[in-house]
Amino acid sequence: IVDEYLQTTELPPELVLDIRSAAQESGKVIERQRMEAIITALPHTLKQRVARRIFLPLFTESPVFQACSESFLVEIGAYCRILTVSKDSQLAHMNEPANQLFILSSGRIGLFNSHGSKLAETDVKGEMIGEMPFIFNLKYVVFVTAMEESRLTVLPKEAFDLACKMYPDDAMALRRGIMKLIQSSTTDVDDEDGGKTSSGKRKSENPGRAKSTLSFATTNSGTSSNKTTTVNVALRRLYASDLRQVVAKMREEQAAARQDLICNLIQHAADGDAHQVEVVLAKGEVGVDEADYDQRTAL
């Protein structure tokens, strides 16, 4: 097809070479799109079997997803893809929404600010990159770049949100687990900020901590000697102020959800529906002596 196109035109040799090169690259893109369409069309049950074997261990080993059920993890795993990117490929751009979650299999990934300065890097296999902006619908505050050819597992945001709707209990467990991680991260930041005087300067008793923690948030020469210096920890600290707001909002949502559960329990008791009362109590989230807004209890 390209030859026919070129034969009907009188073009200089250098332009012909450019057209052939571009056509070859376009062919690769089209072939990849065709393969993606074939994979997407596979039966969902088959993709779940693949997920159970390949992707499930990646999520069960992560502290972010530890509280989630296997069914939920298999469901999100069914939408995962393995992606190989070349050196200097941009995985995420500053001020763009986090539409994908990345899990590193091999290679090296770095965080860079708007001036091109490296803030953190990791080569730790199995490390999740960007789970906080991904889960909480935040925009990236840094550029995420492959520092060498890297292989990653990728989970699309749309598929994750769909799985959360299918498994609301797991979505809640996930949020609770992340709340603990957020509190830990923000506490670390508060501790560092607490080392400053009212004028904003560091106290002299520990001059060795004068630099930002992020300046040390790297792994060295293919080793991970300090597990607290990984990219995901650096991102949590970068999002500290946003995550404090997220925690406050989550607490409000949980309080409202708990009050709704108490009201449902009281209504079931008032209706004499012993089965539904047992179902609510079996979750272990509320008790029979807890009151609603008017201080009424199921008892």
Side-chain angles (χ1 to χ4, degrees), residues 34-46:
R34 187 177 72 86
M35 292 304 300
E36 285 286 344
I38 292 174
I39 293 174
T40 302
L42 290 174
H44 191 65
T45 53
L46 185 59

Side-chain angles (χ1 to χ4, degrees), residues 35-256:
M35 292 304 300
E36 285 286 344
I38 292 174
I39 293 174
T40 302
L42 290 174
H44 191 65
T45 53
L46 185 59
K47 288 187 283 188
Q48 286 179 323
R49 289 169 59 189
V50 173
R52 191 179 300 276
R53 186 177 184 88
I54 303 298
F55 302 118
L56 180 60
L58 298 177
F59 292 107
T60 54
E61 294 172 3
S62 167
V64 175
F65 291 90
Q66 276 182 352
C68 298
S69 69
E70 183 174 305
S71 298
F72 173 76
L73 299 181
V74 168
E75 181 65 24
I76 61 177
Y79 293 98
C80 287
R81 297 287 184 271
I82 295 176
L83 178 68
T84 299
V85 296
S86 58
K87 181 181 179 181
D88 297 327
S89 295
Q90 291 289 336
L91 302 180
H93 293 79
M94 184 181 292
N95 297 322
E96 288 189 356
N99 293 324
Q100 294 177 313
L101 174 65
F102 301 101
I103 306 175
L104 183 62
S105 298
S106 63
R108 187 182 297 271
I109 303 298
L111 304 182
F112 295 83
N113 62 19
S114 58
H115 303 293
S117 299
K118 184 177 66 177
L119 303 176
E121 67 178 64
T122 184
D123 60 356
V124 180
K125 181 179 180 181
E127 179 168 356
M128 289 191 175
I129 301 168
E131 77 275 16
M132 292 298 173
F134 177 82
I135 293 172
F136 293 112
N137 301 311
L138 302 174
K139 291 183 178 180
Y140 274 103
V141 295
V142 292
F143 293 96
V144 182
T145 306
M147 299 178 65
E148 59 187 55
E149 183 176 274
S150 303
R151 185 177 175 88
L152 306 114
T153 295
V154 182
L155 172 63
K157 174 68 172 173
E158 184 178 344
F160 172 77
D161 290 341
L162 179 62
C164 287
K165 291 180 180 179
M166 293 175 60
Y167 295 89
D169 290 343
D170 285 283
M172 181 59 70
L174 178 63
R175 291 163 73 89
R176 287 174 178 168
I178 289 185
M179 182 183 289
K180 295 179 181 179
L181 292 175
I182 292 173
Q183 290 171 330
S184 174
S185 298
T186 54
T187 298
D188 290 342
V189 173
D190 289 338
D191 289 342
E192 290 171 12
D193 291 342
K196 295 180 181 179
T197 64
S198 59
S199 63
K201 295 181 179 180
R202 288 278 174 182
K203 294 180 181 179
S204 60
E205 64 224 27
N206 192 358
R209 286 173 60 99
K211 292 185 178 179
S212 167
T213 303
L214 288 178
S215 65
F216 300 100
T218 61
T219 52
N220 300 318
S221 304
T223 64
S224 55
S225 58
N226 187 347
K227 292 184 179 180
T228 65
T229 60
T230 53
V231 160
N232 54 20
V233 172
L235 279 172
R236 289 171 198 164
R237 289 173 175 171
L238 284 169
Y239 284 104
S241 59
D242 291 329
L243 294 179
R244 288 190 186 97
Q245 297 177 11
V246 169
V247 169
K249 184 177 180 180
M250 286 174 61
R251 285 174 176 165
E252 292 175 1
E253 292 177 352
Q254 288 185 355

